[in-house]
Amino acid sequence: FWLLSRYADVAAALHDPRLRSQRSAALERLKARGEEDLAMIFAAQDDMTLFCDPPKHTRLRSLMQKAFTPRALDAMRASVAQIVDELIAEASPAGSVELMDQFANRLPMFVIAEMLGVPRAHRERFIAWVNDFNTFTGKVNTTAEENDRAVRSMRAMFAYFGERIEHLRAAPQDNLLGELVRAEVQGDRLTHHELLANCALLLAAGYETTANLIGNGMLALLSHPQQLCRLRQQPWLMAGAVEEMIRYDGSVQFSGRQANEDLTLGGRTIHAGEFVMLLFGSANRDEARFARPDEFDITRGDNKHLGFGHGVHYCLGAPLARMEAQIAFTALLARWPNVRLAVAPEEIEWRDNFSVRGVTALPLAFDS
């Protein structure tokens, strides 16, 4: 397959309708081999906005946007702040914390669960389900056991949300899932399977990317103490700091496409049927687009990174992720004075995941 590593080429590819999702071809291969269990996951992805192409993508996105209006997201601000405060209080009584397990992994899952109307008692199970699904989609070579777990978790998620959807049809509620059930554009609504698939997508995409944004962002701050000090002294720089965290060490490293006709990109001819990998991590460090690209600078101007994609597939949840990160870092830096790494930097381990970049754990210490 082709690798696109420059900012201009990746941005152009994201806007090019001749490059389509790879999922349809993979689904047909699995069905032909009789692997119906795995085909179930690919069939779900085929109904997710992230993996489908126009005109289907246009239809799904227009319906889902009904539940992601600025007004709806603004109404979540107080709930996000409350969840952040509760998680910090639970995680930090002893002057030390493992940031990923005790805070970063829980915050986005609890926020999405709150938006979907999932009771608090049920939220922990979603972390296990989503981890199984994301392992399947993110590892280069998954084992038979990992594949089986992904299938079981997908079925469990579908069964859970199937019951919730039927309940909401009978007794509507004012939450994100209720909005998705009611969403209508010119008489069109999401089908039952589309609702299930995109609930799973909201959990999987909203959880892992935001969790790693918090982990990678905290590591970047602690590795650049002058930038951390400046952010403490000038908290109004927080919005720009979060954008720099995404550019400097983003959660999403690549996206895959397949050419549906011959095209020329970056001076090369890509033939119909060939695969293309868009390397976001590389594009966001392109010296032709960003001055001093390998420096972490929270005051960086013109920081139009590709961390949330570009074009028609621009991340629907980007405003929510930004809000979560800004609220989280503001609270963490205020509540944890002199926060520092509790291990040597070389001891930090990174996850075995090809598409999403994040640490397995981030032990921190601070003056309580």
Side-chain angles (χ1 to χ4, degrees):
F1 49 80
W2 293 92
L3 294 174
L4 304 185
S5 60
R6 297 170 181 163
Y7 183 98
D9 293 337
V10 173
L14 288 169
H15 279 280
D16 199 318
R18 296 169 295 180
L19 293 169
R20 64 182 180 91
S21 168
Q22 303 174 28
R23 296 290 155 180
S24 298
L27 176 58
E28 304 215 354
R29 286 196 301 273
L30 287 168
K31 286 183 176 179
R33 294 203 303 260
E35 298 184 42
E36 293 296 332
D37 284 346
L38 292 183
M40 172 209 174
I41 295 182
F42 279 80
Q45 291 176 319
D46 206 39
D47 271 346
M48 296 177 182
T49 55
L50 181 62
F51 297 110
C52 62
D53 302 299
K56 183 176 182 176
H57 173 270
T58 307
R59 171 184 163 270
L60 289 176
R61 189 178 178 95
S62 65
L63 286 163
M64 291 192 65
Q65 279 179 326
K66 295 284 185 179
F68 278 90
T69 63
R71 181 179 177 183
L73 292 175
D74 193 54
M76 279 298 298
R77 187 172 294 275
S79 294
V80 173
Q82 181 180 350
I83 293 170
V84 166
D85 288 342
E86 290 173 356
L87 288 174
I88 292 175
E90 292 172 8
S92 58
S96 64
V97 66
E98 197 289 281
L99 186 72
M100 301 309 296
D101 180 59
Q102 294 178 261
F103 183 85
N105 290 338
R106 282 175 161 71
L107 172 61
M109 181 59 70
F110 287 6
V111 169
I112 291 290
E114 175 94 3
M115 294 176 73
L116 290 169
V118 174
R120 292 196 171 208
H122 299 172
R123 292 177 186 177
E124 292 290 345
R125 72 182 73 175
F126 283 99
I127 294 177
W129 290 344
V130 169
N131 279 336
D132 289 340
F133 175 72
N134 285 342
T135 295
F136 173 81
T137 59
K139 281 189 69 174
V140 177
N141 293 305
T142 52
T143 64
E145 181 183 354
E146 288 169 334
N147 292 343
D148 289 343
R149 283 206 309 266
V151 170
R152 289 197 300 270
S153 291
M154 178 65 79
R155 285 178 173 154
M157 273 193 286
F158 274 27
Y160 183 91
F161 282 115
E163 291 181 8
R164 300 286 302 168
I165 289 165
E166 292 306 315
H167 176 74
L168 287 170
R169 292 193 195 282
Q173 294 179 12
D174 188 18
N175 53 45
L176 174 60
L177 185 53
E179 288 293 330
L180 291 175
V181 170
R182 292 191 297 272
E184 182 175 341
V185 175
Q186 296 180 344
D188 185 24
R189 291 178 180 271
L190 292 166
T191 68
H192 186 71
H193 190 266
E194 288 168 350
L195 281 167
L196 294 176
N198 285 288
C199 282
L201 173 64
L202 289 170
L203 286 169
Y207 157 63
E208 194 166 41
T209 53
T210 304
N212 290 323
L213 164 57
I214 293 170
N216 297 358
M218 180 62 81
L219 182 58
L221 286 173
L222 296 176
S223 302
H224 299 83
Q226 290 182 332
Q227 297 292 309
L228 175 58
C229 181
R230 186 166 190 177
L231 187 57
R232 285 189 183 279
Q233 294 172 347
Q234 300 174 292
W236 56 87
L237 296 175
M238 183 59 73
V242 168
E243 297 306 309
E244 179 67 348
M245 294 171 193
I246 298 167
R247 183 204 69 83
Y248 181 76
D249 198 5
S251 301
V252 181
Q253 288 294 297
F254 84 95
S255 183
R257 296 289 189 274
Q258 186 176 24
N260 56 20
E261 61 181 89
D262 292 354
L263 67 140
T264 300
L265 195 61
R268 302 283 181 168
T269 299
I270 299 172
H271 296 289
E274 292 183 337
F275 293 97
V276 182
M277 304 299 285
L278 318 181
L279 304 183
F280 297 138
S282 174
N284 286 334
R285 295 286 191 101
D286 185 350
E287 65 276 8
R289 177 61 183 82
F290 300 100
R292 301 168 286 103
D294 295 326
E295 291 184 22
F296 180 69
D297 180 5
I298 64 171
T299 66
R300 183 181 297 276
D302 187 25
N303 197 354
K304 196 174 181 180
H305 57 75
L306 298 176
F308 290 119
H310 214 245
V312 297
H313 279 284
Y314 184 78
C315 178
L316 192 63
L320 176 62
R322 287 185 168 109
M323 180 176 71
E324 288 181 66
Q326 290 170 21
I327 292 174
F329 279 106
T330 298
L332 291 172
L333 297 185
R335 295 280 292 276
W336 294 347
N338 300 314
V339 65
R340 55 198 177 273
L341 285 174
V343 297
E346 59 270 19
E347 294 180 43
I348 295 171
E349 294 184 2
W350 294 84
R351 297 181 54 202
D352 180 15
N353 191 300
F354 182 52
S355 61
V356 178
R357 176 171 165 82
V359 298
T360 58
L362 193 63
L364 304 178
F366 49 87
D367 297 336
S368 56

